[in-house]
Amino acid sequence: MMEIAKIQGFKINLLKYNDVLDFVKASLDNGESIQIVTINPEMIEAAKKNPDFANVLKYAELVIPDGVGVKLALAFKGIKQEQIRGVDFAQSLIELANRHGYKLALIGAKPEINEKLVQVLGEKYPNLNIVYHHDGYFQNDDEMIENIKNSGANIILSALGAPKQEFFNEKIKNQIQGSVSIGLGGTFDVMSGSIKLAPPIYRKLGLEWLYRTIKQPERFKRIFPTLPLFLFHSIIEAVHNK
């Protein structure tokens, strides 16, 4: 039985990094379909106002703590859980696909970013089997999922932004047998080299969000006041549960 914790009513799977990868590989090898959510405070706050989104989070097979705010909220409850960054985990999934011959689909980001990512990955992993890719500017989910299904992809990385990517991945889970889908927000921008990865000191302190906000000031409205509000609610929840 996988251990879970609840943050403001939303489940977080408590797993070590390598255990998450092992779970993914076992699911693929068993022909199971799973959805992975890389959860952060903004998603939790959004799900409080959107019952449909909350339902997707509830039934996702894996909900991993991408945002440092979620790691802090768990710490307030005395739970020590490592942060599993979406950009790092996406890289690990690509390496998993490269080692074991899984078929990869890359869905999302701007057309030029998507193309650049395919090029970058092709140069780094000559044997990587990217069977389908498409930018995030499409209108018909079902048509896109049919294309992914026909490609034979069994690892699908979608970078469409929350909650769009989570609704999309839920459809993938229900329509493509033996698939692993994961939502990755703006990760393709980083992986393609279009946006620099946060320097090591920011990553060590869990401040990638601050670095990205400095580099992309338009993110400020999304993070504030959401992040402080989330942490406030998490502290209240931890105190009440003691």
Side-chain angles (χ1 to χ4, degrees):
M1 189 78 177
M2 200 181 299
E3 189 178 357
I4 67 167
K6 289 282 186 79
I7 296 297
Q8 298 176 41
F10 296 93
K11 75 171 183 181
I12 313 291
N13 292 105
L14 304 178
L15 288 170
K16 292 182 179 177
Y17 193 100
N18 288 336
D19 292 339
V20 182
L21 278 175
D22 290 344
F23 183 87
V24 169
K25 186 177 186 305
S27 298
L28 285 168
D29 293 346
N30 291 333
E32 298 168 358
S33 300
I34 67 168
Q35 176 180 5
I36 305 173
V37 173
T38 54
I39 202 161
N40 60 35
E42 299 100 293
M43 291 166 71
I44 289 176
E45 290 298 321
K48 289 179 187 177
K49 303 168 188 173
N50 185 336
D52 291 335
F53 186 29
N55 211 44
V56 171
L57 299 184
K58 179 180 179 181
Y59 289 106
E61 283 66 29
L62 277 178
V63 180
I64 58 178
D66 176 30
V68 68
V70 176
K71 180 182 175 181
L72 285 172
L74 291 169
F76 295 154
K77 291 188 166 190
I79 300 168
K80 190 174 182 181
Q81 167 65 37
E82 62 182 304
Q83 182 184 356
I84 302 177
R85 298 175 179 88
V87 65
D88 296 332
F89 197 69
Q91 189 67 47
S92 294
L93 287 176
I94 289 165
E95 290 169 2
L96 188 74
N98 188 55
R99 283 196 308 273
H100 298 283
Y102 299 127
K103 297 176 180 178
L104 190 67
L106 305 168
I107 312 297
K110 294 177 181 177
E112 61 272 21
I113 299 294
N114 191 284
E115 290 287 348
K116 188 176 179 184
L117 178 58
V118 171
Q119 181 186 345
V120 166
L121 293 178
E123 291 171 357
K124 188 172 182 180
Y125 306 102
N127 297 320
L128 182 64
N129 195 2
I130 301 174
V131 294
Y132 189 74
H133 69 96
H134 198 285
D135 60 70
Y137 297 85
F138 57 89
Q139 301 301 321
N140 191 320
D141 283 5
D142 292 332
E143 183 181 325
M144 178 60 63
I145 290 169
E146 189 65 23
N147 291 341
I148 296 169
K149 185 176 182 179
N150 291 337
S151 75
N154 44 16
I155 296 181
I156 300 101
L157 310 186
S158 63
L160 305 171
K164 181 179 179 180
Q165 64 196 12
E166 282 69 40
F167 287 121
F168 182 69
N169 289 346
E170 183 187 43
K171 291 180 181 178
I172 289 174
K173 177 176 68 175
N174 293 332
Q175 296 180 40
I176 303 180
Q177 185 63 35
S179 65
V180 169
S181 56
I182 180 170
L184 294 165
T187 295
F188 285 7
D189 295 46
V190 176
M191 295 180 71
S192 66
S194 303
I195 292 178
K196 286 185 179 180
L197 195 64
I201 186 64
Y202 283 86
R203 290 164 63 78
K204 186 176 181 181
L205 296 172
L207 294 174
E208 298 98 323
W209 61 270
L210 178 59
Y211 178 80
R212 289 187 66 187
T213 304
I214 293 169
K215 294 294 180 181
Q216 297 173 285
E218 66 272 14
R219 289 171 56 88
F220 185 86
K221 286 183 181 178
R222 199 184 83 189
I223 292 174
F224 296 96
T226 303
L227 183 56
L229 196 62
F230 170 81
L231 292 175
F232 174 74
H233 289 155
S234 297
I235 291 169
I236 296 298
E237 180 184 46
V239 169
H240 281 177
N241 290 341
K242 280 186 178 179

